Amino acid sequence: MSRYVPSLELVPRAARGETAAIGRLISRAEAGADDVRGAMAEIYRRAGRAHIIGLTGVPGSGKSTMVCALTTRLRAAGRRVGIVAVDPSSPYSGGSILGDRIRMADHVLDDGVYIRSMATHGAVGGLARAALDAVDVLDVAGFDTIILETVGVGQDEVEIARASHTTIVVSAPGLGDEVQAIKAGMLEIADIHVVSKCDRSDANRTLMDLKHMLTSAVAAGHAPLWRVPVLGVSAYANEGFDELLAAVQAHVDQIVHGEGGVQRRREIARFRLQKTAEDLLMRRFIAATAPQLERWTDPLVERTSDPYSEAAGMISAALQPPRV
Amino acid sequence: MSRYVPSLELVPRAARGETAAIGRLISRAEAGADDVRGAMAEIYRRAGRAHIIGLTGVPGSGKSTMVCALTTRLRAAGRRVGIVAVDPSSPYSGGSILGDRIRMADHVLDDGVYIRSMATHGAVGGLARAALDAVDVLDVAGFDTIILETVGVGQDEVEIARASHTTIVVSAPGLGDEVQAIKAGMLEIADIHVVSKCDRSDANRTLMDLKHMLTSAVAAGHAPLWRVPVLGVSAYANEGFDELLAAVQAHVDQIVHGEGGVQRRREIARFRLQKTAEDLLMRRFIAATAPQLERWTDPLVERTSDPYSEAAGMISAALQPPRV
């Protein structure tokens, strides 16, 4: 148990679906372990087969219930399902369930489902990089569909949901104006809009509002290849989920396997490149400057210098750029 | 109107409290305008007089109402109040009010109040840098208390609230388990906890839960200089806000003006330095690599290479580091 297995040795084991190897690789990617880069490079080259569903929504919109319902139906269709949750409020953690309020427990004992929560706190940047590394590990491990759940607040978090083949944005009635306002930034990233809790009487207004906003967006000049559907579901009444799965399948058939999919995969690759470069650069920069941080902080405390001057000095010292 | 005034010329005008100069400086800092760095350096050296209150909470917790109530009382005490909202759901925008549901309108016509929303979407990083630059501008412009409001979801956003002398975390009853779970990451950053909507019957449970969590945290080994209060307020009944202001004042007297304040100012300076350096470095990196981005993206789309290898190549090309 305690022997350190080099990350590269874990790759073929994860590819055979060994749960322990999958978990270790993801944990090392999350921590940014030095020896994981070679392994993740190998993983990336082997990946690319799975269908990735991004799922985002404001807190309280019912994302986890949606993930659970989708998983049930994908399993019934014989698909193996991986779940990566970049969501501090998600009720699952490292394969186990926090709280018993959802029926995810059924899936935990199922070999065809792998659930992984990513830490969103305390990471030195690199959340997007780590989450997408985790998706690749599950892809290589043979999961057919991977659901990437992120909380829909905060730019980094919303961006991650966009790094998927099919992005679902979840809304809910009755969350109040303040919560709904955040949605503005999520309107344009959705391939499919879902309104949860449609057993509630006020759900209709939420459905209408969304349809109205989408119509305005289209009228404003977009001529989309894909008409973004607005679907209602109810976990309480167990309604609407088959239609949601049908919409996902329609998006796969019409867009993911077509020209739109080629373009989307390029966007994901570009995002991936940028986030990985950002993370590597920042780690290197922080490692280079950490031992001397107080040297640049002191004059700021005294206000005898300013953040721009000290930051410029810090960058020069860390990177020693070429003379120009 | 249309002449471009160099940013450095705007500094003395902002320092005299000219609203237009304040607004322009903040907008330029937000956009990362080239000539703003010298001006912001000058601003930083002049700043450091104001008391900065960080205020954060999950969406729907009633942050804006809290900001409004605090502002009313601080004005009554003769203090000039600046507000910087890093919150996509905040109802004010560039000094104007979106929606009429709060009584902030009273303050918009008051010279002693300045309200500024920061864009949280589409910024090339640098949100924390820009928000703290805005705080400094208001500090130099003579505002005595500056309230920095951020939405309490997403690591970057929560971190910003911590870059203040006194951090208030707002909770509310009835937001559901999913929303409350996010609070875990905010528990430890609070100098003062406030529970809003305490006219509701379920508010007592929220108060008790918070007190219980704090007691556990203290029992776990912290021996704090400051005993974090948990206060209840009700905007509906207009109750509890005087006690909140008294708690803020107690924190200023006992901590901000004492040893704790020295330490906190150093932490803020360090955070400031790191965020500014991160932003400058990333801007430089993005500018250097953007023209050739497709060159590194192509092999990722083909999966003939991987993000780690291409990111490393990209960093080398952009920074041309010294041979080691």
Side-chain angles (χ1 to χ4, degrees):
Chain A
M1 287 296 276
S2 62
R3 184 178 76 91
Y4 185 86
V5 180
S7 295
L8 213 49
E9 286 182 26
L10 293 171
V11 174
R13 289 164 57 175
R16 284 194 300 270
E18 284 183 28
T19 306
I22 294 169
R24 281 204 210 176
L25 269 180
I26 295 176
S27 294
R28 290 181 190 177
E30 196 171 21
D34 279 342
D35 88 330
V36 87
R37 293 182 192 180
M40 288 312 307
E42 176 64 21
I43 287 281
Y44 184 86
R45 290 169 196 235
R46 294 188 185 206
R49 207 190 49 79
H51 176 233
I52 305 166
I53 299 176
L55 194 144
T56 191
V58 298
S61 57
K63 290 182 294 300
S64 303
T65 306
M66 199 76 60
V67 169
C68 181
L70 277 173
T71 301
T72 302
R73 280 157 186 82
L74 287 163
R75 287 300 291 145
R79 296 179 71 83
R80 301 185 70 217
V81 181
I83 299 163
V84 176
V86 186
D87 182 351
S89 65
S90 71
Y92 14 88
S93 169
S96 68
I97 304 289
L98 306 173
D100 57 356
R101 64 201 153 85
I102 60 156
R103 275 150 283 163
M104 210 68 204
D106 301 344
H107 299 308
V108 172
L109 299 172
D110 176 356
D111 271 355
V113 177
Y114 188 96
I115 306 171
R116 174 72 188 213
S117 280
M118 308 295 289
T120 57
H121 231 260
V124 188
L127 182 58
R129 179 204 46 77
L132 295 173
D133 279 352
V135 167
D136 276 349
V137 172
L138 296 182
D139 183 332
V140 169
F143 292 95
D144 306 293
T145 303
I146 297 161
I147 304 177
L148 181 55
E149 177 193 334
T150 78
V151 64
V153 187
Q155 193 179 351
D156 293 347
E157 287 78 0
V158 172
E159 264 185 331
I160 295 172
R162 177 70 185 157
S164 63
H165 302 124
T166 304
T167 306
I168 301 175
V169 173
V170 185
S171 307
L175 289 180
D177 289 349
E178 193 183 355
V179 173
Q180 299 296 339
I182 296 173
K183 209 169 45 196
M186 288 195 287
L187 193 71
E188 62 269 24
I189 70 163
D191 297 306
I192 300 169
H193 278 288
V194 186
V195 176
S196 65
K197 304 176 191 174
C198 276
D199 43 278
R200 290 174 51 144
S201 58
D202 51 351
N204 235 22
R205 208 197 117 190
T206 309
L207 284 164
M208 297 290 279
D209 283 354
L210 268 173
K211 285 177 185 169
H212 178 72
M213 284 193 280
L214 282 171
T215 310
S216 312
V218 172
H222 298 264
L225 287 169
W226 166 253
R227 200 168 163 279
V228 176
V230 179
L231 305 171
V233 302
S234 163
Y236 178 76
N238 196 29
E239 281 176 6
F241 294 106
D242 293 333
E243 290 78 1
L244 172 58
L245 201 66
V248 169
Q249 193 55 52
H251 187 261
V252 170
D253 294 340
Q254 294 174 42
I255 303 297
V256 180
H257 289 162
E259 271 303 304
V262 174
Q263 189 188 322
R264 181 70 78 93
R265 278 188 289 277
R266 173 165 286 276
E267 286 164 10
I268 296 171
R270 200 184 292 123
F271 176 75
R272 192 73 180 273
L273 174 70
Q274 284 170 319
K275 289 293 156 184
T276 305
E278 191 177 309
D279 188 37
L280 296 187
L281 181 60
M282 286 314 302
R283 279 173 190 272
R284 181 167 136 184
F285 180 67
I286 289 167
T289 54
Q292 288 186 279
L293 204 56
E294 297 312 304
R295 176 183 135 198
W296 295 291
T297 303
D298 287 339
L300 294 193
V301 175
E302 307 297 328
R303 296 206 185 249
T304 54
S305 183
D306 65 88
Y308 287 90
S309 305
E310 295 308 309
M314 196 173 160
I315 292 171
S316 296
L319 301 178
Q320 300 174 30
R323 275 157 282 160
V324 275
Chain B
M1 285 297 276
S2 61
R3 185 179 76 90
Y4 185 86
V5 180
S7 296
L8 213 50
E9 286 182 26
L10 293 171
V11 174
R13 290 164 56 175
R16 284 195 299 272
E18 283 181 30
T19 306
I22 294 170
R24 281 205 212 176
L25 269 180
I26 295 177
S27 293
R28 291 180 190 179
E30 197 172 19
D34 279 342
D35 89 329
V36 86
R37 293 182 191 180
M40 288 312 308
E42 176 64 21
I43 288 280
Y44 184 86
R45 289 168 196 236
R46 294 186 184 207
R49 206 190 50 78
H51 175 233
I52 304 164
I53 300 176
L55 194 143
T56 191
V58 299
S61 58
K63 290 182 294 298
S64 303
T65 306
M66 199 77 60
V67 169
C68 180
L70 276 172
T71 301
T72 303
R73 280 156 186 84
L74 288 162
R75 288 299 293 143
R79 297 179 71 85
R80 301 185 70 218
V81 181
I83 299 163
V84 176
V86 186
D87 183 350
S89 64
S90 72
Y92 15 88
S93 170
S96 68
I97 304 289
L98 306 175
D100 56 359
R101 64 200 154 84
I102 62 157
R103 275 151 283 163
M104 211 68 205
D106 300 346
H107 299 307
V108 171
L109 299 171
D110 175 356
D111 271 353
V113 176
Y114 188 96
I115 305 171
R116 174 73 187 212
S117 279
M118 308 295 288
T120 57
H121 233 259
V124 189
L127 182 58
R129 178 203 50 75
L132 295 172
D133 279 352
V135 167
D136 275 351
V137 171
L138 296 181
D139 183 332
V140 169
F143 293 94
D144 306 295
T145 303
I146 297 161
I147 304 177
L148 180 55
E149 176 193 336
T150 77
V151 64
V153 186
Q155 192 178 353
D156 293 348
E157 286 78 359
V158 172
E159 263 186 333
I160 296 171
R162 177 70 186 158
S164 63
H165 302 125
T166 304
T167 306
I168 301 175
V169 173
V170 185
S171 307
L175 289 180
D177 288 348
E178 194 183 356
V179 173
Q180 299 295 339
I182 295 172
K183 209 169 47 196
M186 291 195 286
L187 194 72
E188 63 267 24
I189 70 163
D191 297 307
I192 298 169
H193 277 286
V194 186
V195 176
S196 65
K197 304 176 190 175
C198 276
D199 43 277
R200 289 174 51 143
S201 58
D202 50 350
N204 234 22
R205 208 197 116 189
T206 308
L207 284 164
M208 297 291 279
D209 283 353
L210 267 173
K211 284 178 184 169
H212 179 72
M213 284 192 280
L214 283 172
T215 311
S216 312
V218 171
H222 300 263
L225 288 169
W226 167 255
R227 199 169 163 281
V228 176
V230 179
L231 305 171
V233 302
S234 163
Y236 178 76
N238 196 26
E239 280 176 6
F241 294 106
D242 293 334
E243 291 79 0
L244 171 58
L245 201 67
V248 169
Q249 193 55 53
H251 187 260
V252 170
D253 295 340
Q254 293 175 43
I255 303 296
V256 180
H257 290 161
E259 272 302 304
V262 174
Q263 191 188 321
R264 181 70 77 95
R265 278 186 289 278
R266 173 164 287 275
E267 286 164 8
I268 297 171
R270 199 183 294 124
F271 176 75
R272 192 75 179 272
L273 173 69
Q274 285 171 318
K275 289 293 157 186
T276 305
E278 192 177 309
D279 189 35
L280 297 187
L281 181 60
M282 286 315 301
R283 279 173 190 272
R284 182 167 134 186
F285 180 67
I286 288 167
T289 54
Q292 289 186 279
L293 205 54
E294 298 312 305
R295 174 184 136 197
W296 295 291
T297 302
D298 287 338
L300 294 192
V301 176
E302 306 297 329
R303 296 204 184 249
T304 54
S305 183
D306 64 88
Y308 288 90
S309 305
E310 294 309 308
M314 194 173 161
I315 291 170
S316 296
L319 301 177
Q320 301 174 27
R323 274 157 284 159
V324 277

